[in-house]
Amino acid sequence: MEALKKQASRLRETVAKQQQAVFKQFGGGYSSDNVITDEAEFYQHQKLEKLYISTRAAKNFQREIVRGVEGYIVNGSKQVEIGTKLSEDGRKYGSENTCTSGSTLSKAALSFSRARAQMEKERGNLLKAFGTQVAEPLRAMVMGAPLEDARHLAQRYDRMRQEAEAQAIEVSRRQAKVRETSGNPEIVMKLEAAESKLQDLKSNMGILGKEAASAMAAVEAQQQRQTLQRLISMVEAERIYHQRALQILEQLEGEMISERQRIEAAPGPTLENNVPPPPPPAYEEVNGVFASHTQNVTTDSMGYFLGEVTCPYQAESDTELNLSLGDYVVIRKVSNNGWAEGECKGRAGWFPFGFIERRERVLASKIAEVF
């Protein structure tokens, strides 16, 4: 609609200029001041046109910001719902987990759940800030009265200017008739009335032009200032959100890495009262070379059995056996001091019994690796 109005205005100006050219050519000539007012008014007219274009562009930009922020809020709200559901799933698993091999994952799930809930809360605060600090103020400005009032003043000025241009053409036409009729009193009277009306239009147009220019300039300044402030508020709100989200994620990552390092570290053998175990019996003693020193060794009543290494162990002497996580060991003897003797990958030696778990069924390929 605004484009059509602008096009119609330009068309009227073109027609008026063509009429002026015709009267100038056939009416004996006249000053251009009769059609276009003084230079100050001409510059005021140009200024109003520029202000009109500037405020219209700023209004469109504000409208696009509002649309973008509203779309961001809609999508962000969906992300908050998804994140909240993920947080609830983590909390449910962490509190209801029945894993028999430890609670490490349960703890991690609860930590993740708390962190995710905090992040979604921060995201909700961000979306709220976008709505109250950005979208609502800009929407009010786009639809506000100051802009519309200023634009109406500019449109009234434009219509009055067109009327003044048409009246100037009328004056020029009557001036030509006066010259043709050698000063006919009636025609002269009509010319004076037309000139008086033109002067009134010029005077009113000057006053209205200043008022419209002042109102449009005030609106332009407000648009520039307020739009910039809304953009700053949007950036600030997003910066605060990302800072807090980063803090939450760093804390969560630290907790998870610490837990992973704890479970990956090789624990010592299970002891009673934290008393270090005596050194493992000599391999020769266990095999009967020195029978008088085997009083601390018992033989498993079920004979040999297989065990899987659940914690790695690094041998500290030639009589001990290196263990890697996942290896299978043939356990030959178990000592009452927490040590066991067995064979793995063609080597035999002692190792902490708490580092393996007994297995009743093992794949044939795993048994082959033992020997």
Side-chain angles (χ1 to χ4, degrees):
M1 183 60 70
E2 291 181 0
L4 292 175
K5 290 181 180 179
K6 195 68 175 179
Q7 186 176 3
S9 175
R10 290 175 180 173
L11 181 60
R12 287 193 296 268
E13 290 180 358
T14 301
V15 172
K17 289 179 181 178
Q18 290 174 349
Q19 290 177 342
Q20 293 168 18
V22 171
F23 279 109
K24 185 174 183 180
Q25 181 175 359
F26 300 102
Y30 57 89
S31 172
S32 62
D33 289 343
N34 289 334
V35 178
I36 300 179
T37 56
D38 59 20
E39 185 176 355
E41 192 282 327
F42 176 74
Y43 285 120
Q44 182 171 270
H45 175 67
Q46 287 188 325
K47 180 180 180 181
L48 269 174
E49 284 189 339
K50 293 178 180 179
L51 285 169
Y52 193 90
I53 294 172
S54 172
T55 54
R56 181 179 59 187
K59 177 181 178 180
N60 292 337
F61 180 48
Q62 289 174 335
R63 185 182 290 113
E64 293 303 321
I65 293 176
V66 171
R67 289 175 180 172
V69 169
E70 289 175 344
Y72 188 93
I73 292 174
V74 171
N75 293 332
S77 299
K78 294 179 180 178
Q79 292 180 351
V80 169
E81 292 179 5
I82 296 172
T84 302
K85 176 64 167 55
L86 184 58
S87 171
E88 180 60 24
D89 291 340
R91 185 202 63 78
K92 184 176 180 180
Y93 176 82
S95 59
E96 299 177 0
N97 174 43
T98 57
C99 180
T100 59
S101 61
S103 60
T104 300
L105 183 57
S106 299
K107 294 178 181 178
L110 289 173
S111 298
F112 175 81
S113 173
R114 288 192 296 269
R116 174 54 60 181
Q118 292 174 355
M119 289 184 62
E120 298 312 326
K121 180 180 178 181
E122 295 296 336
R123 190 190 299 273
N125 293 337
L126 171 65
L127 299 179
K128 182 179 180 181
F130 275 12
T132 58
Q133 300 179 20
V134 181
E136 292 179 7
L138 289 181
R139 188 187 300 108
M141 186 174 295
V142 169
M143 306 300 295
L147 174 60
E148 293 304 315
D149 292 345
R151 290 166 69 88
H152 289 157
L153 285 174
Q155 291 168 357
R156 284 177 54 197
Y157 166 81
D158 188 60
R159 288 193 296 269
M160 186 173 291
R161 190 173 192 274
Q162 293 169 9
E163 185 179 354
E165 289 178 346
Q167 186 63 25
I169 294 173
E170 177 66 15
V171 169
S172 298
R173 186 177 65 82
R174 293 190 178 280
Q175 288 175 343
K177 282 189 175 183
V178 168
R179 286 191 294 269
E180 292 174 356
T181 58
S182 301
N184 185 300
E186 183 179 355
I187 296 178
V188 171
M189 187 179 299
K190 290 181 179 180
L191 172 61
E192 290 176 351
E195 289 177 340
S196 177
K197 182 178 180 180
L198 177 60
Q199 290 302 320
D200 290 342
L201 286 173
K202 287 182 178 181
S203 177
N204 293 335
M205 184 176 63
I207 295 173
L208 184 59
K210 291 179 181 179
E211 184 179 352
S214 176
M216 292 290 285
V219 169
E220 181 187 53
Q222 184 185 34
Q223 284 179 330
Q224 297 292 311
R225 182 177 62 255
Q226 292 295 330
T227 305
L228 176 60
Q229 183 59 43
R230 295 311 103 197
L231 289 176
I232 292 174
S233 298
M234 183 165 61
V235 172
E236 179 68 13
E238 197 159 8
R239 182 187 64 81
I240 292 175
Y241 163 72
H242 286 296
Q243 282 184 340
R244 292 178 177 173
L246 180 60
Q247 293 174 355
I248 294 170
L249 290 174
E250 286 180 343
Q251 181 179 357
L252 175 62
E253 182 184 32
E255 293 176 357
M256 288 186 167
I257 290 177
S258 176
E259 186 66 16
R260 184 181 65 184
Q261 292 174 345
R262 185 187 69 79
I263 63 175
E264 287 179 351
T270 303
L271 305 175
E272 294 183 0
N273 299 325
N274 296 323
V275 178
Y283 189 72
E284 294 82 358
E285 291 179 332
V286 175
N287 285 278
V289 178
F290 302 102
S292 60
H293 298 284
T294 62
Q295 64 275 14
N296 290 329
V297 178
T298 61
T299 302
D300 192 282
S301 60
M302 298 179 65
Y304 292 1
F305 63 91
L306 283 174
E308 182 181 357
V309 177
T310 57
C311 292
Y313 178 72
Q314 182 67 37
E316 298 180 358
S317 67
D318 294 339
T319 61
E320 295 179 8
L321 182 63
N322 288 322
L323 300 178
S324 298
L325 187 65
D327 285 348
Y328 283 86
V329 185
V330 176
I331 292 86
R332 297 173 176 172
K333 298 184 183 296
V334 179
S335 172
N336 57 9
N337 63 2
W339 289 78
E341 187 271 334
E343 181 178 352
C344 178
K345 296 181 180 179
R347 293 180 55 83
W350 289 88
F351 53 87
F353 184 61
F355 281 48
I356 63 99
E357 289 186 3
R358 186 166 182 160
R359 295 288 184 263
E360 300 296 337
R361 296 182 179 181
V362 182
L363 293 175
S365 58
K366 296 296 183 179
I367 296 176
E369 292 178 1
V370 175
F371 303 100

